[in-house]
Amino acid sequence: MGILQIAVVIVILVLLVKPVGTYLYNVFSNEANRTDKWFGFIEKPIFAMIGLKERKGMTWKTYALSFIVTNIVLVAISYMILRMQKYLPLNPNGIDNMEETLTFNTVISFMTNTNLQHYSGESGLSYFSQMAVIMMMMFTSAATGFSVAIAFVRGITSKGETIGNFFEDFVKAHIRVFFPFAFVVTLLLVALQVPLTLQPTITATTLEGTEQQIAIGPVAALESIKHIGTNGGGFFGVNSAHPFENPNPLTNVIEILSMWVLSAALPYTYGLFAKNRKQGWVIFSSMMILFIMFLSLIYAAESSGNPVMNRLGIDAAQGSMEGKEVRFGIPQSALFATVTTAATTGSVNTMHDTLTPLGGITPMALMMLNCVFGGKGVGLVNMLMYAILAVFLAGLMVGRTPEFLGRKIEAREIKLIAIAILAHPLIILASTAIALATDLGKAGITNPGFHGISQVLYEFTSSAANNGSGFEGLGDNTPFWNISTGVVMLFGRYISMIAMLAVAGSMLRKQWVPETIGTFRTDNRLFAGILIGTVLIIGALTFLPGIVLGPIAEHLTIR
C-alpha cells in the first residue's frame, strides 16, 4: 500500500512534466505565443516603469551583475523591516524586533532561496514581516534562480544569440509562473482548511480549563509560494508537520507536487530549447533514477524500524514513527523528505533529526549532490554541468575533442565547472571542520558522538545547497551559527551561479560544429548511464568520508 501511494504521486508528476515544461518554454522562449495575450497587458506597464522598453539582450557579466544588484537591494530593504518590525503595522501579537545576527541570517537565507530558519515563525515575525519580507523574497529568490537557469540554457543551446535580459526574465517568472501557480495552490489549500487570515492568535480553553494561545495567520498564501518556489520556510516552527500548514494526506500530496513539478519540468523545457526533446528526457530520466535510488533507501530504512527499538521487542509494524505524523505514516513522510531535499525546498513534514541513521543519508546525500531535480533552476544547471563534464571525460577516453550540443568543450569551460563542483564540498566540509574544532561550534551540538557530527554536517550541507531543512536537535540560534551559515548560504548560492553563467557566455561565443559520425551522442541511454555514474563517483569521492563519520558510523554503533 505504501509503495502504491508513492507510485501514484510519481506517475502524476511524470504526466505533468510535458505540459508544464512546454508552458515554461513558451514563457521564456521570447517567441510570440498565447502567454503574451494572457499576461502581456500586466507586464507592459511594469516594463515601462523600470525603463525596459527595448529589452536588449545582455552579456553574461551584465546578467550576473543585474541579478546580484537586485538581490542586494532586496536584502537591504528586508533587513531594515525585520529590525523595525516592532514599530510597523500588522503586528497584533506585539512581536519585538529581530536580533542583529539572526536578522542577517534570515535575510540571507530567504534571498538565497535557502529559507533556513533559526527562529520560530509564529513567535519571531509579525504578519507584516511574514508578507513583506518572507513571502516577498520567496517569490524573488525563486524568480532569480529560474531566470539564471533559463539564461544558462539559452547560452548552451542558441546559435550566436544572447542569453537574454535578466529583468525581462525576472518579471516574466513572477507574472507568468509564480503568481498564477501560487494563486491556484492557495485556493486549493484554503479549500482544504489551511488558514488564511490576518486575525491575531485564537484563545482556546483546554480540557484542564486553562487558556491557550493558538497562532494563525496568512498560512495558505505562504504555503503555496513556499513550495512552488522551493523555499521551504514554514509559517510555524515545525513547518509542514503542523496541522495548520499541512492538515491531511491530500494537502501533503499537493505540497509535494507543488515543490517538485516545476523543477521536474525544466529538463523538458531544456530539450525544447535544444530542439531535441530526447536531450531533456535523458536529463529527466537520470534525475529520476537517482531520486528513486535514494527514495528506496529512506523508505526501506524507516519501514524497518529503529534497530535499538527492535532489539527491545517493541512492535515495529508501522516502522520507525519517531518524529513523524501519524496522518502521513512512513510512505508520505519518506516521499516528502526525499522530494524536499531533492528539490532543495527544505520544507519538512517529519523531523529529519529523528530519521534512522541510514534513512538520514538520503536527505543529506541529495543535498550534497544538489543536482537531482534541485531548486528553481539549480538542479537543471548543476546536472547540465555534470553532463558537460561527462562529455569531457568520455572525450578524453577516446582521444577526441569533446563536444556538447554542437560546441567544443575546452579548458575554459572545464575550469569554470571545476570551480562550481569544488566550491560546494569545500564550503560544506571546511565549515563542518571549523564547527567541530571550536567551542562555539560544539556548543550547539545536543547529541554528542556520531549523531552530533551528522547534525553539524547536515546544517552546513543544507545551507550550501540552499535547502534550509535541518537536524533540528542543533542549537543553532547563536551568533556563531547565524553568521557561519549565512556566509555559507551566500557562497553556496552565488559562486556556482556566476560560474555557470560564465560557462554559458563562453559557449555562446563558440562556433557551431556540425554533427559527424564521430560525435558522442548525449540523447541516448548510454549517456544517461555515464551521467549517473559521473554524478555518483564525484559525489562519493568528495562526501563519502563525511557520511562514514556521521550516519554510517551511527548505524554501525546501534545496529
Side-chain angles (χ1 to χ4, degrees):
M1 184 63 181
I3 294 176
L4 179 61
Q5 290 181 43
I6 293 171
V8 168
V9 177
I10 292 176
V11 169
I12 294 173
L13 174 86
V14 173
L15 293 175
L16 289 172
V17 164
K18 184 175 179 179
V20 175
T22 303
Y23 176 76
L24 294 177
Y25 174 77
N26 290 334
V27 168
F28 294 106
S29 65
N30 294 331
E31 300 172 355
N33 57 72
R34 292 180 182 177
T35 61
D36 296 330
K37 297 180 181 179
W38 299 338
F39 302 106
F41 72 96
I42 303 175
E43 294 170 348
K44 285 181 181 179
I46 297 175
F47 290 141
M49 183 173 59
I50 63 177
L52 199 68
K53 295 181 180 179
E54 297 182 5
R55 291 177 255 173
K56 293 181 179 179
M58 296 177 172
T59 65
W60 77 265
K61 292 180 182 179
T62 306
Y63 202 101
L65 181 63
S66 298
F67 87 75
I68 290 172
V69 171
T70 301
N71 284 191
I72 289 173
V73 171
L74 293 173
V75 163
I77 294 171
S78 300
Y79 185 89
M80 289 188 292
I81 291 174
L82 294 184
R83 293 289 295 134
M84 298 168 57
Q85 69 175 355
K86 178 180 179 181
Y87 309 105
L88 297 175
L90 296 178
N91 187 10
N93 300 317
I95 296 174
D96 204 353
N97 299 328
M98 188 175 279
E99 185 267 336
E100 293 95 330
T101 63
L102 181 57
T103 304
F104 166 78
N105 183 276
T106 302
V107 296
I108 296 300
S109 176
F110 282 85
M111 194 67 260
T112 57
N113 202 239
T114 310
N115 306 87
L116 184 75
Q117 290 178 279
H118 287 176
Y119 65 92
S120 187
E122 64 266 45
S123 60
L125 294 177
S126 66
Y127 291 167
F128 184 81
S129 295
Q130 290 276 23
M131 293 186 290
V133 176
I134 303 306
M135 289 173 61
M136 178 272 291
M137 289 202 288
M138 283 182 173
F139 279 101
T140 54
S141 64
T144 298
F146 231 57
S147 300
V148 170
I150 293 297
F152 178 76
V153 169
R154 290 193 190 111
I156 65 174
T157 59
S158 60
K159 297 183 179 181
E161 300 171 11
T162 174
I163 64 172
N165 185 295
F166 168 73
F167 298 108
E168 180 181 11
D169 294 338
F170 190 66
V171 171
K172 283 185 174 180
H174 280 91
I175 302 300
R176 304 191 186 195
V177 180
F178 294 111
F179 285 160
F181 277 61
F183 181 75
V184 172
V185 173
T186 298
L187 292 181
L188 289 174
L189 293 178
V190 170
L192 293 168
Q193 307 304 311
V194 177
L196 182 65
T197 179
L198 295 178
Q199 296 298 314
T201 57
I202 296 173
T203 301
T205 303
T206 67
L207 294 176
E208 290 82 9
T210 59
E211 287 191 350
Q212 179 182 354
Q213 300 297 319
I214 301 176
I216 53 174
V219 182
L222 188 142
E223 283 300 296
S224 61
I225 187 56
K226 148 184 160 179
H227 288 106
I228 291 169
T230 59
N231 294 284
F235 190 95
F236 299 99
V238 294
N239 214 281
S240 287
H242 197 290
F244 283 1
E245 288 198 21
N246 192 9
N248 55 63
L250 182 55
T251 58
N252 198 60
V253 171
I254 290 172
E255 291 180 10
I256 287 173
L257 291 174
S258 295
M259 61 179 154
W260 199 4
V261 68
L262 290 176
S263 298
L266 271 177
Y268 187 81
T269 304
Y270 153 72
L272 294 177
F273 270 101
K275 310 302 181 186
N276 184 348
R277 297 180 186 183
K278 288 183 179 179
Q279 296 279 355
W281 285 120
V282 164
I283 298 297
F284 174 82
S285 299
S286 301
M287 290 178 171
M288 183 58 77
I289 290 170
L290 289 166
F291 177 88
I292 291 175
M293 288 170 54
F294 286 107
L295 173 61
S296 300
L297 173 61
I298 188 173
Y299 180 72
E302 299 307 308
S303 297
S304 299
N306 188 303
V308 175
M309 300 292 186
N310 294 344
R311 284 202 303 272
L312 295 175
I314 297 174
D315 182 16
Q318 292 186 353
S320 177
M321 286 298 294
E322 182 189 4
K324 299 179 181 64
E325 295 296 311
V326 176
R327 66 185 185 276
F328 303 135
I330 296 296
Q332 294 280 329
S333 299
L335 180 60
F336 199 102
T338 308
V339 173
T340 196
T341 45
T344 67
T345 306
S347 173
V348 297
N349 75 347
T350 182
M351 294 300 103
H352 291 188
D353 189 48
T354 63
L355 294 172
T356 60
L358 291 183
I361 290 176
T362 286
M364 198 179 295
L366 286 168
M367 293 186 295
M368 289 172 172
L369 297 179
N370 202 22
C371 63
V372 183
F373 297 110
K376 286 299 155 279
V378 174
L380 175 65
V381 170
N382 287 343
M383 187 59 89
L384 289 174
M385 172 183 70
Y386 279 108
I388 294 172
L389 185 60
V391 170
F392 177 75
L393 295 175
L396 289 180
M397 288 189 285
V398 299
R400 177 184 171 89
T401 302
E403 301 167 7
F404 186 69
L405 298 182
R407 288 171 172 126
K408 293 186 180 297
I409 307 300
E410 297 174 311
R412 175 178 171 79
E413 292 78 47
I414 296 304
K415 289 177 182 177
L416 290 167
I417 289 173
I419 290 173
I421 287 179
L422 295 176
H424 186 61
L426 176 62
I427 58 180
I428 292 172
L429 299 176
S431 302
T432 300
I434 292 171
L436 293 173
T438 59
D439 292 335
L440 289 174
K442 289 186 286 187
I445 300 174
T446 57
N447 290 276
F450 300 120
H451 192 77
I453 295 175
S454 296
Q455 286 180 323
V456 175
L457 181 61
Y458 193 106
E459 184 79 359
F460 285 117
T461 302
S462 178
S463 300
N466 301 135
N467 180 266
S469 64
F471 272 13
E472 295 302 340
L474 190 70
D476 48 22
N477 187 13
T478 64
F480 172 85
W481 286 103
N482 287 335
I483 294 172
S484 63
T485 54
V487 172
V488 168
M489 286 186 281
L490 279 173
F491 288 158
R493 175 75 163 179
Y494 295 109
I495 289 177
S496 62
M497 273 188 166
I498 294 171
M500 297 317 292
L501 278 178
V503 171
S506 178
M507 296 284 280
L508 193 66
R509 293 191 297 269
K510 291 179 180 292
Q511 292 294 322
W512 198 266
V513 179
E515 185 176 308
T516 67
I517 193 172
T519 301
F520 181 64
R521 299 192 64 84
T522 56
D523 59 358
N524 53 29
R525 286 178 291 181
L526 173 63
F527 182 71
I530 293 174
L531 178 56
I532 292 170
T534 302
V535 171
L536 291 177
I537 290 172
I538 292 176
L541 288 175
T542 51
F543 290 112
L544 185 59
I547 290 178
V548 167
L549 287 173
I552 292 179
E554 183 184 0
H555 172 73
L556 295 175
T557 302
I558 68 171
R559 186 178 56 175

